DNA sequence: TTGCTCCTCACGTCACGTGAGGTGGC
DNA sequence: TTGCTCCTCACGTCACGTGAGGTGGC
């Protein structure tokens, strides 16, 4: 049993708008069962209703059309379900991120936390195991989540001794354009390069350093305080920014326990 | 104390990209402290950091720029917090909606529920208290949430006796274009018009009727089954679609207990 | 026959991102 | 002086929505 439907009838059956159906036809996502050669009238079939309903559900979950297309083209149920599950997981991560931002918004609106003490510090060059890559802001959390374990693993494999807290070096474009070169490093004695992980000398710098307590989501607050300090004292220099992870995800379970030193480049010897 | 910053420096301080800052300037959301007359160089001030951080937070929560502008322009903290709270509530509602859709997606992918029995029914014209308005799909839940209580309130005020379940009439454009004329009605004896609520004769129709059990989010499944039935039996007529709310939010707490009759217009006397 | 449904462009939306091509400031 | 930062267009993105202007089908 099947029945033929005009686009309007199919729209009422599936609760997809006529405009959406024409768009899905244009992009080849949901082809009508037939198209009249002379009039161009689209013809749908009742057998297409189930597919249309699936498309509607996935779009309501803001699944991008290329991904929807992949779901529809899945050769079997397992592949299809995996694609859907992956999307739901993306949504879950985004939801968690939203929760963090809401918390951080409350913190921002609350009476301002007394900002810590800015320290001017000369940092010596140091031997490290490091990974350097072009990373976008959106992916930085996941990237760090794989990079640092990798660094510690190489340290162990190559017999290196870790001599201090891990850190990151962020090129200006990372902030100014939303993506840029990022170096993750762990200071070591001994050890050796291994694949992407290189034995690398991190250069000396003069930094204004401010300790950030709590989630990474709030880091911009500390950046603001630190950068304002450096600017107002006329000591700000250009160059990459450093972060030192004194206590992070590997050390404490709760984000509120994170301790991060933010290092802003300054001109040497101009301390206060 | 204050300090002057180039757009790049301000970007690194606030973690807003240079492109975003220029855009916020263009649309008048975040004006630089100054602009050099000859070179066009923007100049920001450290005193603007806090505002920029707020903008960043609100944008991370996908607050539309006009709303952000309203928050920034709020004359006092209370107004500002109210605007933010309203946005968080919108997000909360959307989150709930997402949860419903995920559940409904699972239902769709599960082995198909045996569909109920389609009944062909001649419905007589009936006197009702009714509200009619142009409503978009996005707002239909909220609209019904105010319309039906209003109908019952007028029924009580004007001494009307409710004689059956409430219903809705949906013009084809409601589905085909995503917005259209919707009539909410409650059948009565007695009663009188009162403001937007009119004493209105709902016309007679011939309907194919299928009972929908569960959340409204799943209604498209029943629409698909019912419309396919009518089409495949060659009895589908054009005209508005009716829903009768046998058990809805006012009657049962859990969505899974909702019972809704969907009525699809058919040609009279062509039953089976 | 009427008018209702369907058709195809072309352009708009929203918040920026992506270059191209060019100039100013240290 | 070099090159780095900044500038302004103009156009792209994504999934449709919004008309305009016109034709086919019952």
């Amino acid at each position: 049993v099947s029945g033929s439907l005009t686009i309007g009838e199919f729209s009422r059956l599936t609760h997809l708008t006529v405009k959406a159906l024409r768009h899905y036809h244009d992009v080849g996502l949901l082809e009508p069962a037939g198209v009249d050669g002379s009039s161009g009238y689209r013809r749908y079939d009742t057998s297409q209703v189930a597919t249309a309903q699936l498309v509607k559900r996935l779009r309501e979950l803001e699944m991008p059309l290329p991904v929807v297309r992949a779901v529809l083209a899945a050769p079997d149920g397992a592949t299809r379900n995996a694609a859907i599950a992956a999307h739901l997981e993306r949504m879950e991560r985004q939801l968690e991120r939203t929760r963090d931002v809401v918390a951080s918004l409350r913190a921002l609106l609350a009476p301002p936390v007394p900002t810590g003490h800015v320290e001017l510090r000369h940092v010596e060059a140091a031997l490290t195991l490091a990974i350097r890559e072009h990373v976008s802001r959106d992916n930085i959390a996941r990237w760090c989540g794989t990079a640092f374990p990798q660094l510690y693993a190489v340290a162990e494999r190559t017999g290196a001794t870790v001599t201090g807290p891990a850190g990151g070096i962020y090129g200006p474009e990372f902030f100014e354009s939303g993506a840029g070169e990022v170096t993750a490093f762990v200071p070591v004695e001994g050890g050796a390069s291994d694949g992407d992980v290189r034995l690398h000398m991190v250069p000396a710098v003069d930094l204004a350093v401010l300790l950030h307590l709590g989630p990474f989501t709030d880091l911009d607050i500390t950046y603001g305080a630190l950068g304002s300090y450096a600017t107002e004292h006329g000591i700000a220099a250009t160059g990459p920014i450093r972060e030192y992870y004194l206590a992070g995800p590997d050390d404490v379970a709760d984000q509120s326990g994170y301790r991060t030193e933010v290092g802003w480049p300054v001109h040497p010897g101009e301390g206060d």
Side-chain angles (χ1 to χ4, degrees), chain A:
Chain A
V1 262
S2 75
S4 179
L5 303 153
T6 67
I7 195 170
E9 291 164 341
F10 193 67
S11 163
R12 274 169 277 159
L13 272 176
T14 59
H15 294 184
L16 289 165
T17 66
V18 168
K19 292 287 185 181
L21 286 172
R22 284 205 267 260
H23 184 63
Y24 295 156
H25 182 196
D26 287 349
V27 300
L29 186 73
L30 193 59
E31 307 266 356
V35 178
D36 185 292
S38 72
S39 72
Y41 275 35
R42 294 167 180 85
R43 275 288 162 180
Y44 293 85
D45 191 276
T46 50
S47 64
Q48 299 183 277
V49 169
T51 303
Q53 286 171 343
L54 179 56
V55 171
K56 180 171 150 61
R57 285 289 181 293
L58 299 178
R59 282 299 304 141
E60 284 177 329
L61 296 174
E62 293 171 270
M63 183 182 280
L65 288 189
V67 183
V68 174
R69 196 196 314 271
V71 169
L72 294 188
D76 57 272
T79 311
R80 160 178 300 200
N81 288 345
I84 293 175
H87 179 70
L88 292 181
E89 200 178 319
R90 275 194 296 277
M91 292 190 65
E92 193 60 44
R93 271 203 301 274
Q94 195 195 325
L95 175 61
E96 196 173 335
R97 162 106 182 113
T98 298
R99 267 195 288 263
D100 288 352
V101 174
V102 169
S104 137
L105 177 61
R106 287 193 213 291
L108 190 67
L109 294 175
V113 185
T115 172
H117 174 70
V118 176
E119 177 197 342
L120 298 179
R121 183 190 299 174
H122 176 75
V123 177
E124 297 294 348
L127 184 67
T128 67
L129 285 171
I131 308 181
R132 180 192 173 94
E133 209 168 325
H134 185 94
V135 186
S136 82
R137 185 82 65 83
D138 297 340
N139 295 325
I140 188 66
R142 258 173 300 169
W143 186 79
C144 287
T146 65
F148 286 106
Q150 200 179 339
L151 291 176
Y152 285 108
V154 170
E156 185 157 353
R157 247 201 324 273
T158 63
T161 308
V162 174
T163 59
I169 303 179
Y170 299 86
E173 348 75 68
F174 179 75
F175 301 106
E176 295 178 19
S177 305
E181 291 299 321
V182 178
T183 303
F185 66 84
V186 174
V188 290
E189 272 177 12
S193 297
D194 181 356
D196 290 343
V197 175
R198 299 309 175 97
L199 207 54
H200 170 70
M201 275 303 272
V202 164
V205 255
D206 285 272
L207 296 176
V209 176
L210 183 55
L211 181 64
H212 175 80
L213 300 173
F216 294 141
T217 315
D218 290 336
L219 267 173
D220 59 343
I221 307 282
T222 296
Y223 271 74
L226 181 58
S228 293
Y229 178 95
T231 304
E232 291 167 1
H233 289 72
I235 57 176
T238 53
I241 282 164
R242 290 209 190 169
E243 296 180 0
Y244 288 98
Y245 307 107
L246 306 188
D250 296 337
D251 310 297
V252 291
D254 190 0
Q255 294 190 0
S256 64
Y258 292 0
R259 293 189 301 129
T260 310
E261 279 183 341
V262 178
W264 198 271
V266 294
H267 300 298
E270 301 200 19
D272 226 359

